[in-house]
Amino acid sequence: MAQQERAERTRRALINGAAKAIDLYGYEGASLAVICTAAGVTKGALMYHFPAKDDLIRAVRTEARQAVVSALSAVPHRGIRPLQAAVDMTHAVAGRLGHDPVVRAGARLTREFVHYPDGSVSWTDAVREELADALAGAADPWGTAAQLVYSLIGMDVCLRAEEHRPGRSCGPLRGNLTRLWQLILPGILAAPQAVELYRAEGSSPYCAFAAGPAPVPAPAYLGPRG
């Protein structure tokens, strides 16, 4: 049993180490030597658990998808308007992108390999599906869900370029996501004045990866509504 536990800890360390390396350097830059250093294991241990680099990459992609699905599942739906649930789910994903290196690595791999050779499904597909279900009352739920995912990824990429340190926070990403929802909620709702019923910054503590929701800017004044 102790040997199995050690093997599992080593496997977890390799996945996390690979994720950190991919997040910083991308697929090509995350060499086996870099991954081993990040994971704190030998190359022999890496090859034992993952005989080929792509085996490890598939594990990272699988973990990223599972982490995002878990974050989406944790967002409450009972007693919550479906559109508010969609807002909350995007903030939950933003929280993961801000704090979870595995999800960040999955996002980078998705950008670098739109169609990964192994045919595995990206975490973005899970987000689109969940958002489309929550936006079922909108005019174009699938199109709106896709645009939200694209916008979320684009904002994350731009914020990465502005960072000058390896540590990350979901605050800036969630702040920009809040402003995006403030812009699009009036266009989604049949009665734009109903925007008052929704919280663009998210309505649940499950929106954040940390113990509580990250600080976000106060909602902007949208002007008088007729």
Side-chain angles (χ1 to χ4, degrees):
M1 182 62 70
Q3 185 175 359
Q4 291 179 343
E5 291 177 353
R6 285 197 299 272
E8 180 57 27
R9 284 198 299 270
T10 301
R11 185 178 185 278
R12 297 299 319 165
L14 284 165
I15 292 175
N16 289 331
K20 292 175 182 177
I22 292 166
D23 179 38
L24 290 174
Y25 309 118
Y27 176 86
E28 293 295 337
S31 66
L32 296 183
V34 170
I35 291 172
C36 288
T37 299
V41 303
T42 65
K43 189 173 181 179
L46 187 156
M47 300 306 294
Y48 173 80
H49 288 275
F50 302 100
K53 181 179 179 179
D54 279 353
D55 294 329
L56 180 53
I57 298 304
R58 279 191 291 272
V60 171
R61 282 170 59 87
T62 298
E63 290 277 338
R65 181 180 173 84
Q66 291 175 348
V68 170
V69 170
S70 175
L72 294 174
S73 299
V75 174
H77 286 68
R78 181 175 297 179
I80 303 293
R81 293 181 177 87
L83 182 54
Q84 183 64 63
V87 174
D88 293 349
M89 284 190 287
T90 59
H91 280 284
V93 174
R96 287 283 179 171
L97 285 170
H99 293 281
D100 191 335
V102 173
V103 174
R104 296 201 302 271
R108 181 152 185 171
L109 288 169
T110 296
R111 295 196 305 275
E112 294 184 3
F113 300 97
V114 179
H115 302 291
Y116 197 69
D118 69 351
S120 58
V121 180
S122 165
W123 63 267
T124 57
D125 295 306
V127 179
R128 276 196 295 265
E129 290 171 9
E130 291 288 343
L131 286 177
D133 287 343
L135 294 166
D140 181 12
W142 277 99
T144 303
Q147 292 302 317
L148 285 166
V149 171
Y150 301 152
S151 298
L152 184 57
I153 293 174
M155 287 187 288
D156 184 52
V157 171
C158 291
L159 288 170
R160 284 169 184 260
E162 296 174 0
E163 291 176 347
H164 303 289
R165 55 186 175 81
R168 303 203 58 212
S169 166
C170 66
L173 180 56
R174 290 192 61 201
N176 281 280
L177 182 59
T178 295
R179 288 188 283 275
L180 176 65
W181 276 113
Q182 289 168 350
L183 290 171
I184 67 175
L185 276 172
I188 294 177
L189 296 167
Q193 63 272 21
V195 73
E196 301 281 4
L197 302 174
Y198 296 88
R199 293 183 59 185
E201 73 277 16
S203 67
S204 167
Y206 291 94
C207 290
F209 179 61
V216 294
Y221 176 60
L222 298 176
R225 302 181 182 87

